[in-house]
Amino acid sequence: MNTIDHQKDHNRFVLAKENHECLLDYKITSGSDNTIIDFNNTYVPFALRGKGLAEELVNSGLAWAKEQGYQIEASCWYVRDVIGKNDAR
């Protein structure tokens, strides 16, 4: 498992590997009844793709959001795919 750094001040999770950064970006908004987190972008440099790093980032972000009690939304297609895969398990 890789080390994932949650950079709250930048609203992102970062996984550094082989002098590259893989990113999971989010935006938090407060509703009248709850706080909503929207995972809106996932990025893995081309040289690191196909190694499961994006899924690690997303699962880390989702776990954190659940711990916070946030309502989770995903405008990023990849995050939606991971959520669907996790729901199917």
Side-chain angles (χ1 to χ4, degrees), residues 44-84:
V44 174
F46 185 77
L48 298 176
R49 292 181 185 176
K51 299 180 181 188
L53 301 176
E55 189 168 359
E56 271 188 63
L57 271 173
V58 171
N59 283 329
S60 181
L62 291 172
W64 176 79
K66 288 176 186 175
E67 287 173 7
Q68 305 309 305
Y70 293 157
Q71 178 182 323
I72 297 171
E73 294 185 358
S75 57
C76 172
W77 68 268
Y78 185 80
V79 177
R80 284 192 305 268
D81 283 356
V82 172
I83 290 170

Side-chain angles (χ1 to χ4, degrees), residues 22-63:
C22 306
L23 305 172
L24 172 63
D25 298 313
Y26 63 86
K27 180 179 178 183
I28 295 177
T29 55
S30 294
S32 58
D33 295 333
N34 54 16
T35 302
I36 301 164
I37 185 166
D38 176 27
F39 291 100
N40 53 28
N41 183 55
T42 306
Y43 174 75
V44 174
F46 185 77
L48 298 176
R49 292 181 185 176
K51 299 180 181 188
L53 301 176
E55 189 168 359
E56 271 188 63
L57 271 173
V58 171
N59 283 329
S60 181
L62 291 172

